[in-house]
Amino acid sequence: MEIGTAETLDDVKERENPRSSFSGGSGSGGAGRNKGGGDGPGGDDGSDDSVERFSPEKSRILTTFLLIVVLMTFAGLIAAYVVIETNKVQEWQPFDLPVTLWVSTLLLLLSSIAYFISERATTVNDHPKAKTWLIITTSIGGVFLASQILSWLELTQRGLFMQGNPYVGFFYILTAVHAVHVIGGIVALSTILLKSWFPARNANELAKRISFAQVVGWYWHFMGVLWIVLFLLLGFWK
């Protein structure tokens, strides 16, 4: 302190630590920069600590629970099928599967391949490729449902209905329940397709897309594997 001057304690502290005014006590200026536009930490790059980070655990847990429920449902139906088939009751009269069921099987295999390509493209943030193959996957799923309807129409033209023949009844039930779950898969595919129509704006949004692509992939591939099991059961265990 120079002779003839009177410095307050606050003036001394400010002179000794000139950066203290930027460390959080400067009002709205610093906070405004942290919450500002795309070039700052709070911009579109999603790097601000105040931005809630996406956690994929919830969607994974819900999807796992859903798959367990679906598995238990079909396990019960398949077990009932095996029991009645083993008893060899007189009413059990198998028939040759429609050709369209072979087409349906091929379609689901192709859709799984297409979705795998789309999911890998999503993981590496190749948006055009991911969107293209997701559209292909969804379209193939729709064609699969159309082939199922054609199979049912062919059976009705043969005069095969659920009454009086347990095998026919199980055929309709198993394929119809599977078709309902495929419709659910197509809804999920359409949802992520609409949400990912444009490129991801930041890392957090990309993380969401990768996680959703993964869990929807679990479901879609599970539907494909389940269909193979049903196809082999109905076609070769009768």
Side-chain angles (χ1 to χ4, degrees), residues 22 24 59 83 100 109-110 143 149 153 171 173 209 238:
F22 297 96
S59 59
V83 169
T100 48
L109 291 175
L110 292 176
V143 177
I149 295 175
L153 291 176
F171 178 89
I173 292 173
R209 293 186 181 185
K238 55 183 180 178

Side-chain angles (χ1 to χ4, degrees), residues 22 47 85 115 138 140 148 153 156 175 188 196 210 215 226 232:
F22 297 96
S47 60
E85 190 278 335
Y115 191 85
T138 308
I140 295 177
Q148 292 295 86
L153 291 176
T156 58
T175 55
S196 61
I210 293 174
V215 295
L226 185 57
L232 294 176

